């Protein structure tokens, strides 16, 4: 992968070097100088928080919501945490908060759907309603509520430098904690811009496979059904990237992960071109024009229901505890691509990360913005060079390149795309 101004990761298997590290870094020095990237970058655009909420007013409360917007005044309000609660009660509510926000909203909701709303700083730990203003107490909802959805974007070329368009696989994932033992996860496969077989799984951080009783898919069909197709192509049967297609699997350390699909092209394709039982790999939803290889089709969504055993209380589960990862074959080895903070998870395979200057760079990005518009095929997500900005997010003061150079700046870069450079 690449970021225009950065290079790829250098990894080795347990038994041998994949390629010559010195030669590889010489190439990176020539094409992608890494000194323009903040060496302390964590590539996080959201943080998990736990809020202790007191229903310290008498409004007949039945539930509490944590929101990014005021539901009494905004047209749309995104729910990032929720819990059942009653007047006089106290609960802990977990939320994944985008770092661009300094203020959040808490709302008590009564049986009639009336809202009592207060604002509070993101960094606080305790939230109460004793000082609620009269015009924010038991009012009708104005906003359209939506559940938080995170967008995950991947590069397929690991460990080689790539084109930095972050559209080789695009997933949109949301969660709903139905109760203390039932987690509902919606996974949308939005785009496949890769050129080779790519598989995907979803690790549930902090939980073991033995903590889970069962996993079901709401439609009864998995992504492997391949849209309207139900037969399995020869190339998929010949090159499994996972050891099993069971919905619930245990990683190397017993960690729980959900099997999503074995082949993204097969999972996405509705109109596959098959020759001798081998389908042709097209690119889906990464171009505004049509061709034999570039296709625009509806996205595919599956809803997973995860039922935990009694000992595994999940009321504190946040979207930030998701670790969706992609399996990508290269150099005769299969690599796992995670977002940066989970880059050393090594769920299905063990390998060593060598200590190179490119080790701190991301092979996947998590964007806490459901409306995020990922780059078109071959369009760099954004970079800065010699004072100039380029790419799909290059608006000065709100660019990816400025954020990459300084992790404290342009925390909202993903809300300001470059015209005609994004899907």
């Amino acid at each position: 992968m690449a970021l225009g101004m950065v290079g790829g990761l250098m990894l080795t298997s347990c038994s041998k070097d994949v390629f010559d590290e010195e030669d590889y870094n010489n190439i990176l020095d020539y094409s992608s100088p890494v000194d323009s990237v903040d060496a302390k970058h964590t590539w996080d655009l959201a943080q998990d928080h736990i809020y202790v909420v007191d229903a310290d007013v008498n409004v007949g409360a039945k539930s509490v919501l944590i929101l990014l917007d005021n539901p009494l005044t905004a047209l749309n309000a995104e729910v990032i945490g929720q819990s059942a609660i009653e007047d006089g009660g106290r609960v802990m509510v977990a939320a994944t908060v985008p770092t661009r926000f300094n203020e959040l909203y808490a709302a008590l909701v009564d049986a009639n759907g009336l809202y009592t709303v207060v604002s509070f700083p993101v960094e606080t730990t305790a939230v109460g309603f004793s000082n609620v203003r009269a015009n924010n107490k038991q009012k009708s909802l104005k906003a359209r509520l939506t559940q938080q959805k995170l967008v995950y974007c991947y590069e397929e070329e690991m460990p080689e430098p790539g084109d930095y368009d972050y559209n080789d696989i695009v997933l949109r994932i949301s969660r709903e904690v139905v109760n203390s033992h039932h987690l509902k996860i919606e996974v949308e496969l939005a785009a496949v811009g890769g050129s080779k077989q790519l598989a995907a799984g979803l690790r549930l951080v902090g939980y073991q496979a033995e903590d889970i009783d069962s996993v079901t898919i709401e439609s009864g069909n998995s992504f492997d059904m391949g849209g309207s197709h139900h037969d399995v192509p020869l190339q998929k049967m010949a090159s499994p990237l996972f050891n099993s297609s069971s919905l619930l699997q245990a990683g190397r350390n017993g960690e729980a992960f959900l099997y999503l699909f074995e082949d993204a092209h097969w999972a996405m394709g509705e109109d596959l071109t098959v020759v001798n039982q081998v389908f042709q790999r097209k690119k889906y939803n990464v171009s505004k024009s049509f061709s034999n290889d570039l296709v625009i089709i509806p996205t595919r969504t599956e809803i997973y229901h995860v039922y935990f055993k009694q000992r595994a209380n999940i009321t504190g589960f946040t979207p930030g505890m998701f670790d969706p990862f992609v399996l990508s074959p290269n150099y005769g080895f299969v690599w796992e691509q995670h977002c940066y903070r989970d880059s050393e998870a090594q769920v299905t395979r063990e390998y060593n990360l060598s200590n190179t200057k490119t080790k701190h760079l991301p092979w996947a990005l998590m964007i806490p913005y459901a409306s995020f518009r990922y780059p078109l095929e071959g369009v760099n997500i954004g970079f800065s060079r010699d004072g100039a900005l380029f790419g799909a997010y290059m608006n000065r003061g709100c660019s990816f390149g400025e954020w990459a150079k300084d992790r404290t700046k342009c925390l909202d870069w993903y809300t300001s795309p470059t015209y005609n450079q994004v899907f």
Side-chain angles (χ1 to χ4, degrees), residues 291-303:
S291 70
N292 290 334
D293 298 321
L294 298 170
V295 183
I296 299 176
I297 62 174
T299 64
R300 286 206 56 208
T301 299
E302 297 295 347
I303 298 175

Side-chain angles (χ1 to χ4, degrees), residues 74-139:
L75 295 178
N76 298 284
E78 187 171 328
V79 178
I80 62 173
Q82 61 192 82
S83 176
I85 198 172
E86 294 183 350
D87 287 353
R90 173 181 291 178
V91 296
M92 289 193 303
V93 182
T96 296
V97 184
T99 51
R100 66 188 175 99
F101 285 86
N102 296 315
E103 183 179 60
L104 300 176
Y105 295 86
L108 295 177
V109 187
D110 68 17
N112 297 316
L114 298 179
Y115 281 61
T116 298
V117 178
V118 295
S119 62
F120 63 94
V122 166
E123 297 301 328
T124 193
T125 56
V127 180
F129 294 81
S130 59
N131 295 321
V132 64
R133 296 177 181 178
N135 61 347
N136 286 336
K137 187 174 181 179
Q138 292 186 286
K139 298 295 182 179

Side-chain angles (χ1 to χ4, degrees), residues 102-403:
N102 296 315
E103 183 179 60
L104 300 176
Y105 295 86
L108 295 177
V109 187
D110 68 17
N112 297 316
L114 298 179
Y115 281 61
T116 298
V117 178
V118 295
S119 62
F120 63 94
V122 166
E123 297 301 328
T124 193
T125 56
V127 180
F129 294 81
S130 59
N131 295 321
V132 64
R133 296 177 181 178
N135 61 347
N136 286 336
K137 187 174 181 179
Q138 292 186 286
K139 298 295 182 179
S140 297
L141 178 67
K142 178 179 180 179
R144 180 180 69 92
L145 299 184
T146 58
Q147 288 290 329
Q148 183 178 39
K149 184 174 290 186
L150 305 181
V151 184
Y152 297 85
C153 304
Y154 298 83
E155 281 284 319
E156 73 172 342
E157 290 87 353
M158 185 175 180
E160 291 183 330
D163 57 8
Y164 300 81
D165 56 16
Y166 283 98
N167 65 21
D168 294 334
I169 284 185
V170 178
L171 300 173
R172 300 187 183 112
I173 303 178
S174 63
R175 70 87 173 87
E176 177 185 351
V177 178
V178 180
N179 56 48
S180 62
H181 306 297
H182 179 191
L183 183 64
K184 179 180 177 181
I185 304 172
E186 182 177 294
V187 180
E188 177 186 2
L189 178 56
V192 181
S195 58
K196 58 188 176 184
Q197 180 181 351
L198 299 169
L202 174 58
R203 183 171 66 112
L204 306 179
V205 179
Y207 294 90
Q208 299 291 103
E210 62 182 18
D211 294 330
I212 297 173
D213 186 60
S214 63
V215 178
T216 62
I217 297 180
E218 194 165 289
S219 69
N221 299 321
S222 70
F223 278 107
D224 279 346
M225 298 303 286
S228 61
H229 298 267
H230 300 285
D231 53 334
V232 179
L234 291 178
Q235 70 215 64
K236 178 184 167 189
M237 296 175 64
S239 55
L241 301 182
F242 283 106
N243 293 325
S244 167
S245 59
S246 300
L247 288 181
L248 173 63
Q249 299 193 30
R252 292 188 309 107
N253 299 314
E255 293 177 297
F257 74 90
L258 306 185
Y259 168 91
L260 298 182
F261 49 79
E262 185 73 67
D263 191 316
H265 293 87
W266 181 255
M268 189 72 168
E270 285 285 342
D271 186 20
L272 301 175
T273 301
V274 181
V275 179
N276 296 325
Q277 292 185 287
V278 177
F279 71 89
Q280 309 305 300
R281 296 193 182 279
K282 302 178 181 180
K283 298 191 176 187
Y284 299 103
N285 298 344
V286 295
S287 173
K288 294 183 179 180
S289 61
F290 290 85
S291 70
N292 290 334
D293 298 321
L294 298 170
V295 183
I296 299 176
I297 62 174
T299 64
R300 286 206 56 208
T301 299
E302 297 295 347
I303 298 175
Y304 297 78
H305 293 270
V306 184
Y307 298 93
F308 289 76
K309 296 176 181 177
Q310 290 296 315
R311 66 173 178 268
N313 190 305
I314 59 168
T315 53
F317 193 98
T318 70
M321 297 169 70
F322 286 143
D323 172 25
F325 61 95
V326 166
L327 300 185
S328 172
N330 210 0
Y331 288 96
F333 194 71
V334 177
W335 310 93
E336 290 183 7
Q337 291 157 257
H338 300 256
C339 290
Y340 178 78
R341 68 174 175 178
D342 294 306
S343 59
E344 298 187 18
Q346 301 180 24
V347 180
T348 65
R349 291 160 172 82
E350 183 178 9
Y351 45 82
N352 295 324
L353 296 172
S354 65
N355 185 25
T356 70
K357 58 188 174 184
T358 57
K359 179 181 177 180
H360 69 285
L361 303 176
W363 294 91
L365 293 171
M366 184 276 280
I367 315 297
Y369 187 54
S371 301
F372 175 67
R373 300 181 64 184
Y374 52 85
L376 294 172
E377 177 61 21
V379 176
N380 192 295
I381 196 169
F383 63 99
S384 172
R385 181 169 292 149
D386 298 327
L389 296 169
F390 304 90
Y393 287 85
M394 63 179 228
N395 294 318
R396 190 166 297 279
C398 191
S399 71
F400 184 93
E402 291 169 282
W403 178 62

Side-chain angles (χ1 to χ4, degrees), residues 20-39:
D20 187 279
E21 181 175 349
E22 182 178 357
D23 287 348
Y24 184 66
N25 280 329
N26 287 336
I27 294 173
L28 294 178
D29 282 338
Y30 176 77
S31 62
S32 305
V34 298
D35 57 0
S36 60
V37 175
D38 187 337

